Amino acid sequence: MSKDMSCNPEGGCACSGKKAEAAPVESVSSRRNFLKSASMLSVNSLLGTAALMTMSDDARANTEWAEWFQGNYRLMSDEEKALARGRLERRYSREYAKTVIVDGTPAQEGVLMGYALNIKKCIGCRRCAKACVEENNQSRGKDQDMEWIRVLKMEKGEFSKEKMNQGYPEGLGIQVGGNAYSPAGVVLEGEHYYQADAVPEKDSVYMPIACMQCEKPPCVKVCPVRTTYREADGPVVIDYNWCIGCRMCMSACPYWARRFNWSDPNLPKEAMNPVTHYLGNRPRMKGVVEKCTFCIQRTRKGRYPACVEVCPVGARKFGNLLDPESEVSRIIARKHVFRLKAEQNTFPKFFYFMD
Amino acid sequence: MDKLKRFVVDYVTYVVKGSPAFYAWIAFLCLLILGLLYGTYLHAADGLGYTGLTNQVHDGLYLANFVFLVGIAAGAVTIVFPAYVYHHKALHAVAVLGEMLAISAVLMCMLFIVSHMGRPDRLWHMLPIIGIYNIPHSMLAWDTLVLLGYLFLNFVGGFYYLYRKYTGQPLNNKFYLPLIYVSIVWALSIHTVTAFLLNTMPSRPMWHHSMMPIRFISTAFAAGPSMIILIFLIVRSRTKLWIENAAIDQLATIITYCLGLALFLTLSEVVTELYANTEHALGLNYLMFGLHGFTDLVPWFWGSLIASIAAFMILLTPYWRSNYRLLALACILAFCGIWVEKGMGLLVPGFIPTPIGEFTQYLPTTLEIFVTLGNWAVGLLVLTVLLKGAIGIQLGDIGYAPPTQGKVPVGTTGMATAAELT
């Protein structure tokens, strides 16, 4: 344990057990709003069902009905995939009052996406986490604030003369030294609700984490309906329309990379990013799991993930692991890289390195 | 076919009639079920936001009760096994009650899974052919398979027995006995697979040990028969069906062994984990002593341990064990102790800390508690009805008479609450 992760005045939720990751405790009034929206929702769905029953052309009801019956995306024919995406495009465009594209670009031939992060350079500014939320249409706001990237703050470590007598046996320290239990260096556990006036803070190192896009992902193995799977070009994706919300994948993930939509995501119309991919950043629904996809909607079109683009210190590198000249391949070839929790045999395609 | 029709009609007519106490019990359960309906409506309309679950601790009361009830279902085999393998006469006479308990427990398991799921409306995605059934890889798929199989075996076995008893025909042992033997082994499989569901995930070090299946089975074979003894004592006092002391004493012996084993395994885990006290023992540290000022589960752990030890002491002493009031107390202690151990004591600390070392406490919301009580109420309602029917047939209160002889006498007098469990 690198740090006592007790109550944090701003983060609040580190210990209070609330849904939000960076937002304070849900208040009574929000609960009331919740109830209100619940009743409105149910009225909506009732109306939708009624519309269906009378064979009316209530488009919303019809799209949702068709969505409910659609098969697993991975197993659909190309025509079915196009149909499913078209349905979603129409629904999203209406719901968010803008033209929404739901792309379906398949895995690229000869590409294996990989990522490398220079922990020496990271200053803990969390612009990556913010850019990710904006790019990937995560839920935001008080009730349900969701971030796929968490930046862990860790102590550089210190050894003090005062602690020398605190060992075991008292005064001798022949079994446990007095400076035991003080964290030092890069460990996976860290504080990720830190509030700082300026970064980088003194005596701190930062390590951002997100989905490691494992080559042998334990989350995929435990999924009872194979809604989450590894795409040929590397990223582990989720068919949000096929997920049954059992959360086995969340238990199985050793990196705490997955998030659950406890209620309908709160995605303001004006903030919604209309350039989406079916397996990537399209808006999710309540009761399903989501996670980082290496910005599949960008990277399959030859762009960088949003976090790579926004990083002010160039700590984040992305590229094709099969191309020896890609940045990521060159880093793996020339630097000392490591994977998190390598003993889990998950073989992440997310590498850490130091200059 | 006519016989079968009459069986259904007689059975249903019999189980819906009862004394005022019976109706009061049913009404009480229905009241609890209203809470479940309201909770289910909110979950369906608005998601699981009303629960105390978080992205940190994302499985709670629902899954904990599921795990516990799989144990209760498996525990029913403690009647069937001595009855059919060791030909225990007293248990043989009431073996069908064990099967009825198994049916209700598996039903409750399914209800809890539906409450737990984020999208129960998409359950059909798990169906083979029209959906994807990820077998052999997903443990959840295996668990579904073994639980449905167990439900089927007990339903067929139990109702075949009752039907034959009703019509007065002898059992066809070539059909019945294989069913029973398969169901005995199957009972072990359901709880083993449920243990595999949790312990095959190295991401949660507190669960990741090979002791979990045997510990699950030993606690199940303590909690299950504890519940059965309580049911037997109620049946003895409230219905005309007399269950012999020998049956109860045999179950008490089984609880003693299994509870002793369970306590030994707890001790083994505590020593193994706390001696080296690596990071993997953080969950257990949090559970037993609290960590970083978070101590929600500490009273639960010690309360459960004390209850289990007290139950074990009563059961171990022949003088106390043969006093059925004390025995009932021991059963209640064992049942509650194991419920806590497998629920809040096993599932929740598995998530604390998270894989990146964050401590988040979990507290069920009122709605979650209502839904949980409601699921139990449905199970107890089904159990009451099933036990009432089974006891009626065992007693000969309902039996088949050829149609020419007129109406079948239906004796309901004296049939009070068949299984008044509180």
Side-chain angles (χ1 to χ4, degrees), chain A residues 5 14-15 17 19 42 68 189 192-193 222-224 240 242-247 250-252 256 260 262 286, chain B residues 41 48-49 51 53-56 58 116 118-119 121-122 124-125 134 138 203-204 279 294 355 357-360:
Chain A
M5 258 139 302
C15 49
K19 256 109 250 162
S42 60
W68 193 79
E189 294 88 354
H192 54 102
Y193 298 96
V222 300
C223 178
Y240 311 114
W242 191 254
C243 175
I244 60 171
C246 71
R247 310 194 282 286
M250 294 175 75
S251 298
W256 199 62
F260 187 72
W262 297 100
K286 65 166 185 278
Chain B
Y41 160 73
L48 293 174
T51 64
L53 298 168
T54 54
N55 280 320
Q56 287 82 6
H58 45 77
H116 167 83
R119 301 297 306 211
D121 58 315
R122 296 180 183 170
W124 67 270
H125 291 182
N134 187 13
S138 162
S203 52
R204 309 287 169 180
E279 251 185 24
F294 298 130
E358 178 184 349
F359 281 81
T360 304

Side-chain angles (χ1 to χ4, degrees), chain A residues 5-287:
Chain A
M5 258 139 302
S6 53
C7 259
N8 160 323
E10 304 289 333
C13 41
C15 49
S16 63
K18 282 295 145 194
K19 256 109 250 162
E21 269 149 36
V25 176
E26 193 182 295
S27 68
V28 180
S29 68
S30 76
R31 182 151 294 231
R32 201 167 295 137
N33 290 340
F34 235 49
L35 280 166
K36 214 164 98 189
S37 66
S39 55
M40 272 165 68
L41 252 178
S42 60
V43 168
N44 267 352
S45 50
L46 273 177
L47 285 175
T49 319
L52 263 172
M53 284 172 171
T54 53
M55 298 296 285
S56 113
D57 54 2
D58 182 320
R60 184 188 153 95
N62 283 336
T63 32
E64 282 182 351
W65 199 235
E67 262 182 67
W68 193 79
F69 277 111
Q70 82 185 32
N72 177 262
Y73 188 74
R74 184 173 56 91
L75 301 180
M76 285 182 200
S77 67
D78 285 346
E79 295 83 60
E80 285 170 329
K81 282 181 180 171
L83 217 70
R85 289 197 307 270
R87 260 199 308 264
L88 287 170
E89 279 177 349
R90 286 194 295 280
R91 174 159 77 82
Y92 292 147
S93 299
R94 210 163 38 243
E95 277 172 27
Y96 296 96
K98 56 175 94 170
T99 313
V100 177
I101 300 161
V102 180
D103 180 37
T105 311
Q108 304 299 291
E109 203 72 28
V111 174
L112 185 64
M113 296 183 192
Y115 206 112
L117 196 146
N118 187 342
I119 37 178
K120 180 114 183 273
K121 275 190 177 164
C122 178
I123 55 168
C125 66
R126 286 189 291 212
R127 283 191 181 94
C128 47
K130 200 161 175 290
C132 173
V133 169
E134 281 161 12
E135 167 68 26
N136 287 299
N137 290 323
Q138 277 104 315
S139 175
R140 51 205 86 173
K142 220 163 121 197
D143 284 333
Q144 185 165 240
D145 197 11
M146 207 182 286
E147 282 177 5
W148 292 348
I149 300 176
R150 302 299 292 175
V151 181
L152 302 176
K153 184 179 101 164
M154 291 160 296
E155 314 291 309
K156 277 188 175 153
E158 56 168 30
F159 299 90
S160 76
K161 207 173 171 184
E162 288 72 48
K163 284 187 184 167
M164 285 179 79
N165 286 333
Q166 291 170 11
Y168 181 86
E170 197 80 36
L172 293 173
I174 54 170
Q175 190 175 313
V176 182
N179 279 294
Y181 307 117
S182 307
V186 179
V187 288
L188 178 53
E189 294 88 354
E191 166 67 87
H192 54 102
Y193 298 96
Y194 63 90
Q195 300 289 331
D197 295 329
V199 286
E201 294 156 285
K202 200 171 165 279
D203 297 329
S204 292
V205 285
Y206 301 94
M207 184 167 72
I209 58 158
C211 176
M212 300 286 149
Q213 316 293 357
C214 308
E215 270 295 89
K216 184 172 156 287
C219 50
V220 169
K221 192 171 185 177
V222 300
C223 178
V225 292
R226 278 228 190 280
T227 194
T228 184
Y229 58 95
R230 189 191 156 280
E231 281 273 276
D233 52 355
V236 174
V237 294
I238 303 167
D239 179 356
Y240 311 114
N241 273 65
W242 191 254
C243 175
I244 60 171
C246 71
R247 310 194 282 286
M248 283 297 287
C249 55
M250 294 175 75
S251 298
C253 175
Y255 307 101
W256 199 62
R258 288 172 169 261
R259 305 286 182 270
F260 187 72
N261 287 284
W262 297 100
S263 50
D264 268 310
N266 177 30
L267 177 59
K269 277 181 191 167
E270 62 281 3
M272 190 255 175
N273 173 12
V275 184
T276 73
H277 190 285
Y278 184 95
L279 297 169
N281 61 339
R282 70 182 169 97
R284 276 75 65 184
M285 59 290 273
K286 65 166 185 278

